[in-house]
């Protein structure tokens, strides 16, 4: 089984969110199952800078927007990768500073339609072995809107590979105006409601859904949710009619990168058996690295954390609204690491200025800090309005940092609630791994957090839930087999 795996980001070379993690760890897991796999990524400036060496596999001459692009295809074997990495090197489109989708001021690149249409065209050609490498995949697996045109470009090819398309987040549809479709001179037959046209615009994610042989998304619950108006972003009808080819496969995590017993980014390692001591030492390091004295009181106080893109999806506003009451009614402290919308960043910074001893905020992207936060906190806040899968709650479970989550998408599929309350009595669920609330409102988040804090003070109960959480197996083993079955 040969698979060409196309993504616009791949950890550790380039990452803006969970897609980067999955595009690294899933191929590794598939390869361990015997799949012969190549990952293909745009040759961003940031990625080229990190490569020790590469070889040129060949040149593709690709026509887009009336221009002839001479694109180099590079092959590299970066450290950590157990398979070859292919890079689509088109300097005019990818050799620039900034992140994959936006410039250094945070604005989307003006030519994103062209950049990812060209990348997709190159992937489709590689899928047909256009370089005569004697390596033609059985399956091309494309991810999110950035590679949505891959299945479309393959549509006219005879003897093409099977096309699998994975939706990681339907909120990002790769929408561009008709003029852009015309400027790129994409095939006119694509412009229909049964093609990539979407309310007068083009949608690259819709192209992926329409033209792929199989569509997957990253949790069983999200696969159902996106077929409804609440979560479908207008594509619910398209998806509902294609449920026959839609599957939800839960993401896994890289068990080496996120292992509290060996994590090289942690000052202190720990296992489920001695988690209290290990977490306490990391908590001390976390507090001190944020300029807070690790007094006995501070070490004993519950520490609630969040690592996130600061966007509406993640429900940070609910936390911000709940914090004044939590500060008043408990001794909890808070820590945030994230980047995103300037107004959310500003609100968090304001809170930390008002309560410098109780709220720590880092507006930055830092893997090191994210790992220490996971290890040093007691609770992880993830009240996402929707969450296709979510990886941070999985990292939190593994690190014994009990997640507080909204019952949606992958959060609903991975966190087992601690309690159910009948009017008079509360029962602890013996399988519990965290705290789950049903509706994304500040009030429910607040009540659930207060409940979690009450359990925190009951050490025996707390330790049991923490132990359960750390025993969960969210490695890729099971999900990689599901992908393999689908490919076959
Ligand atoms: P999403 O992909 O929607 O952002 P996930 O939970 O699937 O959500 O994955 C987010 C990933 O990005 C996790 O690996 C998380 O640790 C990482 N991440 C997000 N923001 C930051 C940040 N500011 N610093 C370090 N890592 C971050
Ligand atoms: C997206 C989703 C997130 C998911 C990740 C990886 O960014 O928002 O829920 O975990 O992709 O699939």
């Amino acid at each position: 089984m040969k698979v060409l795996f196309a993504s616009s980001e791949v950890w550790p070379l380039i990452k803006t969110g969970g897609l980067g993690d999955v595009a690294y760890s899933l191929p590794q897991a598939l390869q361990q199952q015997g799949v012969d796999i190549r990952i293909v990524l745009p040759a961003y400036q940031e990625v080229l800078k990190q490569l020790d060496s590469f070889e040129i596999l060949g040149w593709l001459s690709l026509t887009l927007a009336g221009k002839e692009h001479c694109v180099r295809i590079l092959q590299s074997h970066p450290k950590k990768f157990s398979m070859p990495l292919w890079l689509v090197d088109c300097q005019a489109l990818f050799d620039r500073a900034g992140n994959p989708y936006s410039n250094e001021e945070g604005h989307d690149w003006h030519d994103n339609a062209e950049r990812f249409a060209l990348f997709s065209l190159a992937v489709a050609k590689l899928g047909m072995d256009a370089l005569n490498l004697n390596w033609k995949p059985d399956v091309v697996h494309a991810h999110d809107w950035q590679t949505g045109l891959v299945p479309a470009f393959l549509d006219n090819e005879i003897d093409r590979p099977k096309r699998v398309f994975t939706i990681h987040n339907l909120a990002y549809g790769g929408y561009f105006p008709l003029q852009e479709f015309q400027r790129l001179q994409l095939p006119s037959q694509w412009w229909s409601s049964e093609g990539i046209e979407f309310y007068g615009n083009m949608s690259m994610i819709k192209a992926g859904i329409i033209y792929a042989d199989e569509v997957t998304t990253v949790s069983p619950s999200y696969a159902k949710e996106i077929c409804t108006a609440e979560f479908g972003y207008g594509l619910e009808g398209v998806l509902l009619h294609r449920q026959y080819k839609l599957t939800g496969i839960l993401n896994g995590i890289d068990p080496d990168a996120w292992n509290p017993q060996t994590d090289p980014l942690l000052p202190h390692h720990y296992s489920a058996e001695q988690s209290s001591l290990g977490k306490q030492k990391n908590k001390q390091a976390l507090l001190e690295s944020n300029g807070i004295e690790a007094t006995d009181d501070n070490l004993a106080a519950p520490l609630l954390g969040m690592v996130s893109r600061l966007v509406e999806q993640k429900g940070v506003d609910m936390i911000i609204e709940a914090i004044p009451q939590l500060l008043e009614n408990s001794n909890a402290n808070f820590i945030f690491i994230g980047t995103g919308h300037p107004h959310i960043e500003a609100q968090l910074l304001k809170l930390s200025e008002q309560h410098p001893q109780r709220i720590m905020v880092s507006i930055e992207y830092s893997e090191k800090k994210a790992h220490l936060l996971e290890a040093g906190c007691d609770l992880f806040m993830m009240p996402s309005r929707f969450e296709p899968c979510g990886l941070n709650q999985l990292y939190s479970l593994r690190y014994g940092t009990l997640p507080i989550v909204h019952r949606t998408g992958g959060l609903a599929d991975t966190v087992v609630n601690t309690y159910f309350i009948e009017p008079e009595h509360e029962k602890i669920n013996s399988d519990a791994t965290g705290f789950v609330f049903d509706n994304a409102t500040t009030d429910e988040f607040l009540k659930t957090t207060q409940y979690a804090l009450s359990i925190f003070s009951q050490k025996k109960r707390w330790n049991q839930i923490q132990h359960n959480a750390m025993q969960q197996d969210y490695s890729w083993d099971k999900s990689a087999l599901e992908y393999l079955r689908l490919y076959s």
Side-chain angles (χ1 to χ4, degrees), residues 126-434:
L126 292 169
M128 295 304 295
D129 195 19
L131 290 178
N132 293 316
L133 300 170
N134 202 15
W135 194 88
K136 185 163 174 229
D138 302 295
V139 174
V140 175
H141 189 168
H143 298 265
D144 267 357
W145 72 264
Q146 299 86 344
T147 56
L149 295 188
V150 174
F153 280 124
L154 282 168
D155 205 50
N156 275 338
E157 301 284 358
I158 300 163
D159 206 16
R160 61 172 177 250
K162 292 289 182 202
R163 299 160 292 178
V164 177
F165 181 67
T166 297
I167 300 167
H168 292 262
N169 195 336
L170 203 59
Y172 303 94
Y175 299 116
F176 300 97
L178 170 63
Q179 294 84 316
E180 209 42 14
F181 178 82
Q182 291 166 329
R183 190 181 73 78
L184 296 180
Q185 300 179 16
L186 295 173
S188 56
Q189 72 271 19
W190 290 1
W191 193 264
S192 94
S193 58
E194 286 300 293
I196 79 172
E197 188 272 341
F198 184 72
Y199 295 102
N201 291 310
M202 76 163 143
S203 160
M204 292 194 182
I205 208 160
K206 187 179 170 203
I209 296 166
I210 299 270
Y211 293 103
D213 300 297
E214 291 289 339
V215 178
T216 73
T217 187
V218 289
S219 69
S221 286
Y222 194 61
K224 290 191 198 116
E225 289 170 353
I226 53 178
C227 295
T228 68
E230 193 183 348
F231 298 96
Y233 287 87
L235 285 165
E236 58 276 10
V238 171
L239 287 158
L240 199 59
H241 285 109
R242 287 168 181 76
Q243 265 186 319
Y244 66 91
K245 64 170 187 181
L246 174 64
T247 322
I249 303 179
L250 202 62
N251 282 336
I253 63 174
D254 181 332
D256 299 325
W258 291 94
N259 180 353
Q261 289 182 265
T262 54
D263 186 338
L265 298 177
L266 294 187
H268 305 284
H269 294 142
Y270 61 98
S271 64
E273 280 60 49
Q274 36 84 20
S275 64
S276 302
L277 184 61
K279 284 189 72 68
Q280 196 76 346
K281 285 184 180 166
N282 283 296
K283 190 181 205 171
Q284 177 169 354
L286 179 60
L287 291 171
E288 285 171 353
S289 66
N290 279 278
I292 306 270
E293 214 185 321
T295 57
D296 288 348
D297 281 352
N298 276 337
L299 285 172
L303 183 57
L304 286 76
M306 179 182 222
V307 180
S308 189
R309 293 183 297 117
L310 301 175
V311 295
E312 212 212 335
Q313 171 189 348
K314 303 293 179 180
V316 196
D317 52 309
M318 288 177 240
I319 304 177
I320 291 172
E321 269 176 36
I323 275 185
Q325 283 208 52
L326 291 168
L327 289 179
E328 201 174 313
N329 301 331
S330 78
N331 60 344
N333 296 318
F334 296 84
I335 177 159
F336 296 84
I337 302 173
T339 58
H341 285 318
H343 71 275
I344 306 182
E345 295 180 352
Q347 282 175 313
L348 286 176
L349 285 171
K350 192 167 158 208
L351 274 174
S352 80
E353 277 160 25
Q354 288 167 341
H355 308 278
Q357 289 304 310
R358 297 190 65 185
I359 302 182
M360 298 154 264
V361 174
S362 298
I363 300 299
E364 64 179 308
Y365 183 92
S366 161
E367 294 210 355
K368 191 161 186 233
K369 290 188 176 181
H371 282 243
L372 183 57
L373 185 150
E374 286 287 7
C377 281
D378 301 295
L379 285 153
F380 192 89
M381 301 174 289
M382 206 160 168
S384 310
R385 294 200 156 72
F386 66 94
E387 195 61 75
C389 178
L391 297 173
N392 268 123
Q393 84 281 13
L394 303 180
Y395 303 148
S396 302
L397 291 170
R398 192 123 201 257
Y399 281 57
T401 304
L402 302 187
I404 303 172
V405 304
H406 170 215
R407 194 186 303 281
T408 186
L411 300 176
D413 291 346
T414 55
V415 182
V416 180
N417 196 11
T418 294
Y419 71 117
F420 56 90
I421 288 196
E422 291 155 355
E424 275 82 44
H425 29 281
E426 169 198 334
K427 283 194 184 163
I428 292 281
N429 175 357
S430 60
D431 299 333
T433 59

